[in-house]
Amino acid sequence: MPEPHADATTQELARRMAAVVGEANCVSDPGGLSVYECDGLSHGRVRPRLVVLPASTEEVVEVVRLARAAGVPIVPRGSGTGLSGGARPTPGCVVVALSRMKRVLEVNLEDGWVRVEPGVINLDVTRAVAGRGWYYAPDPSSQSICSIGGNVAENSGGAHCLKYGFTVNHVLAARVVLDGGEVVDLGGAAPDTPGYDLLAALVGSEGLLGVVTEVTLRLLRRPEATRTVLATFPSSDEAGAAVSGIIAAGILPAAIEMMDTLAIQAAKAATGLAWPDQGSLLLMDVDGPLAEVEHTARRAIEIARQAGATQVSVPRDEAERQLMWKGRKSAFAAVGRISPNYMVEDGVIPRSEIARVLREIGRMAAEAGLRVANVFHAGDGNLHPLVLYDARNPGEEERASRLGGDILRLCVKLGGSITGEHGVGAEKAAYMAEMFTPDDLETMALVRCAFDPETRFNPDKVFPTPRLCGEQPGPYRPHPAEAAGLAERW
Amino acid sequence: MSGLRPAGPEDAILGVAPRSVVEPASVDEAVEAMQACARDRLRVAFAGGGTLLGLGAAPTGLDVLLRTRRLDRVVDHAPSDQIVVAEAGLTLDALQRALAQHGQRLALDPPFGARATVGGIVAANAFGPRRTRFGTARDLIIGVTLVRADGVRATGGGRVVKNVAGFDLPRLLVGSLGTLGLIVTVTFRLHPLPEAAATLVLSRPAASKVRALVRSLRDAQVEPTSTLLLAEGGALRLGVRFEGFGPGVRQQGERLAALASAAGLACEWLDEAGAASFWARHDAVRTGGPVRVRLAAPPSALEPVLRDAVAPLGEALSGGGAVLDPLVGCGFASGAPADAAAAVARLLSARQALVALGGSLVLEAAPPEVRARVDAWGPPPPALDLMRRLKARLDPEGRLAPGRFVGGI
C-alpha cells in the first residue's frame, strides 16, 4: 500500500495499477520502492512514484495506458545491472520492471532462433539450448544476472563481440509497446522485412522508445574448437603491439582482453591465479573449425612472442580455461579488494591508439593523484578504466569523477566513443554534446519523437538537454485542483 | 542552386523524369543543394550508380535528381583500425581496390561493383553471396553522415566498431532508399583479405534433399563465407565457399566433400578460374533479365520456397534463374517474361506463398506492364504506421523520393 500521505494521484494510480498487475506486483511502500532507486550505478538514487511488475504484453499495455492517462513518465527496467544509470528512476515515474516476464516462449533450431520474454537472463538463453550444441553469442560480463530486455535496451556486447557482434546483430524480431498502448512487431523470422529497420533503432535505444515485451534472438552453433591463449608482457606497449600484430595478420579472434598491472593484481587477489605481478596481460580466444583455430592460435602465439611476451600459456583443460576467464570477468569486482571505492568507465578508442592512450591515462591519473586500473576489450579498443578512490578523503570522489570525464574526452578526441557497451543513460548524457553536434542530437531526437512523441519513456536519459517533440502538447502539468487532491485526471 | 542542369531521359526513375539534375562535387555542395531544394520545396531523389533504381515503387513526382557520382573520395582509411570512411558516390570496385592495397576488404559483394556506389548499396541494402558469413550493410556500417530534407547535416555512429552512444542512425538508413535523407559519407568496418579460399559445388541435389544437406552442413560446424543454391533450368547446384587460412579452408572443404559423398552427390572442388566463373554466374543469374525480385523466407522453408516460388517463377521467366542462401533464407530470381500476364500471375502467387511463410517478395526491376499489377513491396509491414511517423519527423513535407518506399512512403 502507498504511504498514507502519498498524494492522491499516486494513490489512485497505485490502485489502478494493482488492478492490472495484482496487489503483490504493484510496489508503493517506501521499503519496496527503495530497492528500485538505482541500477548498477549506485549513486544518484531517485525513489520512483511506483514500481509495477507486469506479467504479459497485455498487462504492459494497460500499465502504459494508465501512466499516460495520469501524465506520468515510465522507466523500463530489466535486472538493474546497467552501469550508466539507464534504469535510474526519473522523479515521479512509474518503474516498469520486466523481471516477472521470464519465459522462454519458443525454440526453433531449424531456423536458429529462440523467442523469449524480456526478463529472461542472458545466460539462461544459452542454457535452454546448450544441450543441443547451440548458444547465444553476446556475453556481457554480467550475463549470469542481466536480462535480455536490458541487453536489447543497451545493445550489450561482451568480450566475444569482436568476432560475433553485438546484441543488434543477434535480434531478429521484437514486440514493443508504444506510448499510445499500441503493440508493434518489428523484424521477423524471415530476413529483410520490407520497410525501415526500426529494430536497429530500437536496439540500443536505452528504454526511450517503448517497452519491449518479446524478443526473438538468433542462436549460433557452438564452434567446433576454442583455443585460449594467455600472454604476459613487460608493459602495455608490448601488449598493444601484439594486439595490432595479431589483427594485422588477418586473424579475427573471438576475443582479446587486456589487463594492466593494477587490474592483474586485483584479479589475483580475488581468484588466487598465478599471474605475474608486473606488466600487462592479454587473454585471447580463437574459435571456429579445428584446423583454422589451431593455425590461428599458433600464429597469434608467434606474434605475441615477437612483440615481446615474457610468458605464453595455454590452459591444460576447460577448468583452467574457465579460471582464466573468471580472472578477467571478475576484474571489476576484484578491484574492490585493492580500493575502498572505484568508478567504472567505458570509452572506446581506435585500436591502434591503445598503448599511447594507456600512457596518457597513466599521466592523467598521476596528475590527479589517483590510481587507474585498466581492464578492457583490446580487440575493439573498448577501454574500461577503473578509477580508484577513497570516498572518505574529502574531494577525492570529485577528482575521480573529473578524471573519468577527462578520459572520455580523450576517447572522443581520438575519434572514439564515450561508451562502447554500458550506454549513455543518466551518467553520460552530459558528454553526448562532446561527441555529437546539436544537429546530430536533434536528428536522433526526431527518431525518438516518432516513437514516443510525449517523451514518456525514460525521459531524462541519453540526451544532454531535455527536449520536447514539436507539434505536440507540452509536458503534463497537474491542474491546481488536481494537485490539491480535489480532482483526478482519468 | 549552382550546378543544376536540365534532366534528360536517362535521369528518369521508373519512368518519372525530374526537371533538373545536380551533381555535387563535395559534401558541402551536397548540403547546399539540399538546402536549395528545401528552400524551393523541391522533390528530390538520389542516384548513385543507378544499379538498383528499379527497387521499390516509382516516385509520385520528382523535381530534382541528385547524383552522388562526384562524391567519390576515400575520406579516410585506417588499416590498423580496420575502418574506412568513404563518400557516398565511391564505387564498390574503386573502394575495394584502395582497401586491397592494405590487404583488406569491405565484406559486401553485390553485383555491378564497377557501378554500384557505397551510398547506393547502403540505401538499397544491396548484398551478395558473402552475406552468409558477414551479413549485410547493417552488420558492417558503423557511421554515417546524412543531409536531412531540411538541409541539415547530421552524423550518427562513429569511427569505431564498438559504440553505443546515441541512436543508431547508420543502421536506420540501411535500406531506406533515400526517403529519410541523403547519405553523403559512410563509415564501414573492414575485414582482412583471406589468405586462402575454396569453392566447392555439389551438383544436382534433389530439392527434397537440400534441406537435410544444409542441416548437416551446419552440424559440421564449418564456417562458410557463402552458401548458395543456384537454380537454373530446373536443376540445382549448391556452391559453398570457405575463406581464411590454408589449413582451415582445406579441412572445411574436405568436410563438405565427405558430406556430399555421404549424401551420394557429386562434389567438385573448383580451381580459381572455376570458382570465379561460378560466383560470376551467381551475379548473372540474379540479374538475368528485365524482371528481378528479392525473395525472403525463414531458412527452414526451403522446400516450399523452391516449390511455390522458385519453380513457378522459373517457368514464367526465361534466361535467368534463382539464387538462394539456404542458411540465411534470402534470395533472388530473375528472367525475361515470355508473357506478361503469366509472369504477373506467377509473381503474385510466389509472393502469396512467401508472405504466408513469413517472408516477402520485393521488385528490384520489372517492366511497366508487370509493375502495373504487382506492387513493388507487397503487403505493408505491421509497423507501417510507425514507419510513416518516422518519415514525417525526418521529411515532414514528403519531398525525398516520394512514394518510392513501402506503403507509399
Side-chain angles (χ1 to χ4, degrees):
Chain A
M1 286 301 291
E3 296 170 71
H5 59 272
D7 64 79
T9 307
T10 302
Q11 287 195 21
E12 182 56 22
L13 191 59
R15 195 181 62 72
R16 289 175 189 248
M17 290 285 187
V20 173
V21 297
E23 282 288 340
N25 302 307
C26 178
V27 181
S28 57
D29 65 290
L33 292 175
S34 69
V35 175
Y36 296 89
E37 286 175 350
C38 65
D39 55 14
L41 193 70
S42 58
H43 61 266
R45 293 166 176 269
V46 176
R47 183 165 298 185
R49 182 191 298 264
L50 291 174
V51 176
V52 294
L53 296 97
S56 65
T57 300
E58 294 70 29
E59 288 187 12
V60 171
V61 168
E62 288 310 310
V63 164
V64 169
R65 285 191 177 138
L66 288 173
R68 178 188 161 103
V72 166
I74 289 172
V75 174
R77 180 186 173 100
S79 293
T81 57
L83 293 170
S84 57
R88 179 189 297 165
T90 289
C93 77
V94 172
V95 168
V96 177
L98 285 311
S99 48
R100 286 177 69 220
M101 295 181 64
K102 55 183 180 194
R103 287 177 301 165
V104 174
L105 298 169
E106 192 181 355
V107 178
N108 181 335
L109 294 185
E110 179 85 29
D111 285 328
W113 54 257
V114 58
R115 192 163 55 90
V116 301
E117 290 184 328
V120 168
I121 300 302
N122 173 298
L123 201 54
D124 287 341
V125 176
T126 291
R127 287 197 181 115
V129 293
R132 285 167 279 180
W134 292 75
Y135 77 114
Y136 176 60
D139 62 337
S141 292
S142 57
Q143 70 180 143
S144 60
I145 45 173
C146 64
S147 71
I148 290 299
N151 291 178
V152 168
E154 302 299 315
N155 189 15
S156 300
H160 291 78
C161 61
L162 179 58
K163 177 174 176 183
Y164 291 101
F166 318 96
T167 301
V168 69
N169 303 109
H170 297 272
V171 174
L172 299 175
R175 175 165 290 178
V176 55
V177 178
L178 304 180
D179 183 41
E182 317 98 293
V183 178
V184 180
D185 286 320
L186 306 177
D192 305 334
T193 310
Y196 297 128
D197 193 346
L198 298 179
L199 201 51
L202 180 73
V203 178
S205 61
E206 305 200 29
L208 271 67
L209 302 186
V211 181
V212 171
T213 61
E214 268 185 37
V215 190
T216 304
L217 301 169
R218 184 201 310 282
L219 298 170
L220 298 179
R221 280 297 313 236
R222 275 267 173 226
E224 182 184 13
T226 302
R227 291 285 179 274
T228 300
V229 177
L230 181 88
T232 55
F233 298 85
S235 78
S236 299
D237 289 1
E238 293 85 1
V243 173
S244 291
I246 288 165
I247 299 288
I251 298 170
L252 180 58
I256 313 187
E257 303 289 293
M258 190 161 157
M259 295 166 77
D260 71 359
T261 307
L262 258 184
I264 296 170
Q265 287 169 358
K268 282 182 68 174
T271 60
L273 278 158
W275 287 349
D277 280 308
Q278 288 302 320
S280 187
L281 170 156
L282 285 186
L283 179 61
M284 181 177 73
D285 268 357
V286 287
D287 69 14
L290 183 62
E292 185 86 1
V293 164
E294 285 181 337
H295 177 83
T296 48
R298 214 162 32 237
R299 282 285 290 133
I301 289 171
E302 282 166 27
I303 292 164
R305 290 217 165 97
Q306 282 159 14
T310 44
Q311 194 189 325
V312 177
S313 56
V314 173
R316 279 183 303 270
D317 52 25
E318 180 59 20
E320 196 182 351
R321 173 177 181 267
Q322 290 294 344
L323 187 63
M324 286 176 175
W325 272 104
K326 192 178 163 203
R328 160 60 188 92
K329 290 203 174 186
S330 62
F332 285 11
V335 164
R337 289 173 179 259
I338 60 166
S339 174
N341 308 92
Y342 64 96
M343 287 175 192
V344 181
E345 279 303 343
D346 167 42
V348 188
I349 52 164
R351 173 172 49 221
S352 54
E353 302 277 4
I354 287 176
R356 194 178 120 196
V357 168
L358 289 182
R359 277 198 302 276
E360 181 62 14
I361 289 176
R363 194 194 60 74
M364 289 157 66
E367 209 174 276
L370 294 168
R371 293 184 301 164
V372 175
N374 286 289
V375 186
F376 57 95
H377 310 299
D380 39 31
N382 186 190
L383 307 177
H384 289 309
L386 304 163
V387 182
L388 314 188
Y389 67 97
D390 186 340
R392 290 166 303 189
N393 298 336
E396 203 163 303
E397 183 162 8
E398 290 70 27
R399 275 210 320 271
S401 177
R402 235 181 352 259
L403 175 58
D406 289 343
I407 292 172
L408 293 183
R409 283 188 197 98
L410 175 65
C411 292
V412 173
K413 196 174 119 198
L414 294 171
S417 173
I418 57 170
T419 172
E421 54 188 6
H422 294 174
V424 176
E427 195 63 6
K428 288 186 179 169
Y431 296 99
M432 283 290 276
E434 310 218 5
M435 188 166 162
F436 294 107
T437 68
D439 289 341
D440 301 342
L441 292 169
E442 185 195 55
T443 307
M444 294 177 197
L446 290 172
V447 175
R448 176 202 198 169
C449 292
F451 279 79
D452 181 17
E454 294 185 26
T455 60
R456 168 115 25 245
F457 296 106
N458 223 1
D460 302 337
K461 311 293 165 59
V462 180
F463 291 94
T465 43
R467 36 176 96 228
L468 302 172
C469 300
E471 315 145 23
Q472 300 294 334
Y476 168 67
R477 302 254 182 273
H479 185 274
E482 190 183 324
L486 302 173
E488 298 172 52
R489 185 188 145 149
W490 297 110
Chain B
M1 196 184 324
S2 61
L4 210 58
R5 64 167 168 81
E10 73 283 2
D11 299 312
I13 296 182
L14 293 171
V16 178
R19 287 189 283 124
S20 322
V21 174
V22 62
E23 297 193 16
S26 68
V27 170
D28 286 342
E29 283 186 21
V31 172
E32 275 173 40
M34 290 294 283
Q35 285 170 346
C37 288
R39 202 166 43 238
D40 297 339
R41 300 199 157 177
L42 301 176
R43 293 162 298 178
V44 55
F46 316 119
T51 63
L52 275 173
L53 288 179
L55 178 65
T60 49
L62 209 50
D63 300 305
V64 175
L65 181 71
L66 188 153
R67 291 194 177 276
T68 59
R69 60 187 165 202
R70 292 171 71 202
L71 299 171
D72 61 354
R73 278 164 288 259
V74 175
V75 178
D76 189 13
H77 175 206
S80 51
D81 298 319
Q82 293 183 331
I83 64 116
V84 70
V85 187
E87 286 183 348
L90 182 68
T91 64
L92 181 61
D93 283 358
L95 175 65
Q96 301 288 31
R97 276 194 301 274
L99 301 175
Q101 290 174 11
H102 298 272
Q104 297 182 346
R105 69 178 177 193
L106 172 64
L108 278 172
D109 54 350
F112 306 126
R115 285 191 290 137
T117 61
V118 296
I121 287 169
V122 170
N125 189 22
F127 58 87
R130 286 194 175 85
R131 177 172 182 172
T132 310
R133 166 70 183 86
F134 297 102
T136 61
R138 176 192 209 269
D139 301 288
L140 298 164
I141 192 170
I142 58 172
V144 78
T145 298
L146 72 146
V147 186
R148 295 191 326 220
D150 58 3
V152 170
R153 177 193 332 209
T155 294
R159 294 169 43 95
V160 284
V161 171
K162 200 169 182 185
N163 172 20
V164 295
F167 287 0
D168 200 336
L169 299 178
R171 286 192 179 88
L172 189 56
L173 288 176
V174 173
S176 62
L177 211 62
T179 58
L180 296 179
L182 167 67
I183 296 169
V184 285
T185 70
V186 183
T187 306
F188 289 112
R189 75 176 290 188
L190 304 173
H191 285 85
L193 279 169
E195 202 177 86
T199 296
L200 291 86
V201 173
L202 280 58
S203 292
R204 297 195 169 268
S208 58
K209 297 269 177 64
V210 173
R211 192 168 145 205
L213 191 65
V214 168
R215 199 183 302 136
S216 63
L217 182 71
R218 216 171 43 185
D219 288 343
Q221 293 169 300
V222 290
E223 291 180 353
T225 49
S226 306
T227 52
L228 185 82
L229 201 57
L230 197 60
E232 282 183 281
L236 296 176
R237 287 189 287 165
L238 180 67
V240 180
R241 174 161 52 193
F242 300 105
E243 293 177 309
F245 294 95
V249 167
R250 206 156 42 243
Q251 188 192 41
Q252 295 183 81
E254 283 161 4
R255 207 170 281 178
L256 178 67
L259 282 180
S261 154
L265 293 172
C267 173
E268 191 186 355
W269 198 308
L270 302 181
D271 61 15
E272 211 172 308
S277 127
F278 178 84
W279 296 109
R281 190 70 205 142
H282 157 271
D283 286 10
V285 164
R286 70 175 256 196
T287 59
V291 172
R292 292 158 51 190
V293 295
R294 292 182 178 185
L295 315 172
S300 61
L302 188 60
E303 285 158 70
V305 169
L306 287 171
R307 185 186 61 228
D308 302 331
V310 171
L313 288 174
E315 286 162 20
L317 303 171
S318 61
V323 297
L324 292 174
D325 183 329
L327 285 172
V328 174
C330 59
F332 300 85
S334 78
D339 168 49
V344 165
R346 297 291 165 84
L347 285 166
L348 291 175
S349 70
R351 169 175 282 163
Q352 195 176 15
L354 292 168
V355 168
L357 293 164
S360 58
L361 182 152
V362 170
L363 298 187
E364 270 197 350
E369 63 273 21
V370 171
R371 262 180 202 280
R373 300 191 33 214
V374 182
D375 182 79
W377 298 100
L384 180 62
D385 181 49
L386 192 51
M387 291 174 192
R388 289 204 168 111
R389 279 153 59 178
L390 179 68
K391 168 75 173 178
R393 290 285 172 181
L394 283 161
D395 177 19
E397 297 172 327
R399 289 187 295 100
L400 304 186
R404 292 269 283 140
F405 207 53
V406 300
I409 288 174

